[in-house]
Each structure stands twice: as C-alpha cells, then as structure tokens.
Amino acid sequence: MLAALLGRDPVLHAYQLGDLDDFFWPYTSWFRHGEQVALLYHGVNPPTLLAFAAPAHVDELAVLLGDLAPVLPTRLYAHLSPGLAAALAPAFDVDGPAVHLKMALTDPACLDRVTPVGRPLSAADLPQLHVLYAEAYPDNWFDPRMLHTGQYLGIHDGGVLVAVAGVHVWSPTYRVAALGNVTTHPRVRGRGLGTAVVAALCHRLRDTVEHVTLNVRADNVAAVRLYERLGFTRVADYGEYTLTGRPQNQRAPGR
C-alpha cells in the first residue's frame, strides 16, 4: 500500500520508497491520512520526519501532521514540503527552514560528456572515509552500513582518498536511488574530481534503478551547477527544520 501511494511520484518520494527496503525498514515508523504519507526515520539522532506532497495536496498532508504532532519525539529534524511547517508550529518551536532542492537525473546523455572516475569502496576504506569527511564535509550524515550497498565510489591521490560519491538510498526493488555524502578534499578541488566520481556513480546506479535523485541546499551554487552539468534538473523545493517540542502547557488545545 505504501509503495503504491509513494510510487505515484517516485522522485519526490525517493527517500521514502527506499526506506521500504529491509535495509531501512526496522528504523521507520509510517503514518497515513487518506492518500498522504509521512515517515519518521529513527535510525539517526535526532529522528527525522519526512513529509512531502505536491502543492495540490499540501492541505491534506498538513492535517496528518497536525494529528501526528502529539506522538512525535520532543526533538527532531523535519524535511517538509513548503507550507507544512505551520501544521507543526503549535506544538513545536520551529527553527528553519534551510531551503533545499530535490533534483533528478533527467538527461543522462550529459554523463557522456564527462570521463567517469572512481572505484568501489569497501569496509577497508572506512578509516580513510572518516578522515575525508572530517576534513571536507564535517556536518554530513553518514551511516557506515551504506558501504555494504556497493554504491560508494572513491578517487585516490597518492594512496589517499580525496573524493567520494555515495548514496543515502539505493533500492533496486523500488527502482530509486538518492545520491549523498558527495565531497572532495579542499586541496584538490577545482580539478573536476567531484564531477568525475559523481558521473561514475550515476552510470553505475542506472544499471539497477530508474530514478537517480538527490537533495542539495539551494544556496550551494557550486553543487547545483555541478549536478545540472551532469543532467540533473530541479523538481521540487523543500525545507529542512529543527523542531523542539513546547512544554505541554504551552501547546495548543488538543495537542
């Protein structure tokens, strides 16, 4: 049932579709109102709420979030379509949004303009991967289990890992993937390594999925341009928020 509802817009709901897989399912809680679905992913700390809808259905999803507010954790992150944060504001202090874009690979022919470079990473590369993220992308979210997907590629320079592209979601079952944890070491930026390793990963992913997607901060101009050069287009906006529950006596009636 969830797959059918989310599959009507697999790009908008790529993360949620991927989380239906056994790999992620134990870390999920699902909520539904009519044809709208929200996901609470508690495999991270704090948990993250995902709720997305096309503009015509935002009001219906807002009803679900309003009903859901009393049972949510007192502190969480939320990824929400525009207009949905107001449904949670009576119960939570809302910090945000940080405006993000959802993008999808719609012109894969662009990948052929780039020479792909990168080899699959394994658990043996984990120490170097941690060092790279600490130096180049310290605020990222990385689950080491994702290395077991085989969908992390890296570029080495002098035996040192200097560029990586991976996934947050990869589901051959539901035919979706979401790029994530993409970074290049500052000392080698400007050499096209990030473009090359992302291109290599996209080629690899297209063997197993139909929709290759990603999330990126709207103000990360360099990253947006990189993805556009590789054939990605913007398909939706959303906001990322930090939510902190209000004291019970300050919540709106009925919450």
Side-chain angles (χ1 to χ4, degrees):
M1 180 271 291
L2 290 170
L5 291 173
L6 299 169
R8 295 174 303 172
D9 192 340
V11 172
L12 183 64
H13 299 298
Y15 273 74
Q16 292 152 301
L17 281 167
D19 287 344
L20 295 174
D21 270 352
D22 290 347
F23 190 85
F24 296 106
W25 179 263
Y27 304 96
T28 63
S29 298
W30 298 88
F31 308 89
R32 175 191 173 196
H33 175 80
E35 296 187 343
Q36 302 307 310
V37 176
L39 162 65
L40 183 66
Y41 184 77
H42 40 84
V44 292
N45 185 25
T48 300
L49 176 69
L50 281 71
F52 305 114
H57 301 291
V58 164
D59 289 346
E60 184 180 357
L61 185 51
V63 172
L64 172 59
L65 295 185
D67 291 342
L68 184 56
V71 300
L72 290 173
T74 56
R75 182 171 173 80
L76 69 156
Y77 291 134
H79 296 187
L80 306 173
S81 288
L84 288 175
L88 294 166
F92 291 89
D93 291 322
V94 179
D95 182 12
V99 180
H100 284 65
L101 305 175
K102 287 187 173 291
M103 305 183 75
L105 182 60
T106 57
D107 189 3
C110 292
L111 297 173
D112 296 330
R113 303 172 188 167
V114 177
T115 301
V117 181
R119 69 164 180 82
L121 301 180
S122 69
D125 298 292
L126 188 57
Q128 283 205 48
L129 193 55
H130 280 309
V131 170
L132 176 59
Y133 285 142
E135 295 178 347
Y137 195 2
D139 58 347
N140 76 318
W141 174 78
F142 169 61
D143 181 349
R145 295 188 315 137
M146 295 304 295
L147 281 177
H148 298 306
T149 66
Q151 307 304 316
Y152 272 70
L153 303 185
I155 298 175
H156 291 75
D157 181 38
V160 177
L161 183 65
V162 294
V164 63
V167 292
H168 283 155
V169 163
W170 174 64
S171 174
T173 300
Y174 298 105
R175 307 293 293 172
V176 295
L179 302 187
N181 293 309
V182 177
T183 196
T184 303
H185 196 281
R187 70 176 174 82
V188 296
R189 287 176 183 166
R191 291 167 45 181
L193 299 183
T195 303
V197 73
V198 170
L201 179 58
C202 288
H203 281 296
R204 184 180 182 89
L205 290 171
R206 292 185 68 233
D207 290 337
T208 56
V209 307
E210 182 178 354
H211 302 285
V212 180
T213 72
L214 61 90
N215 297 339
V216 60
R217 280 186 67 111
D219 61 2
N220 190 344
V221 176
V224 172
R225 288 176 178 170
L226 180 155
Y227 295 128
E228 288 176 336
R229 288 198 302 271
L230 290 175
F232 286 83
T233 56
R234 310 176 190 197
V235 296
D237 300 342
Y238 77 97
E240 294 193 3
Y241 303 81
T242 299
L243 305 180
T244 305
R246 300 179 187 274
Q248 191 64 35
N249 59 5
Q250 296 180 17
R251 294 196 178 194
R255 300 292 174 89

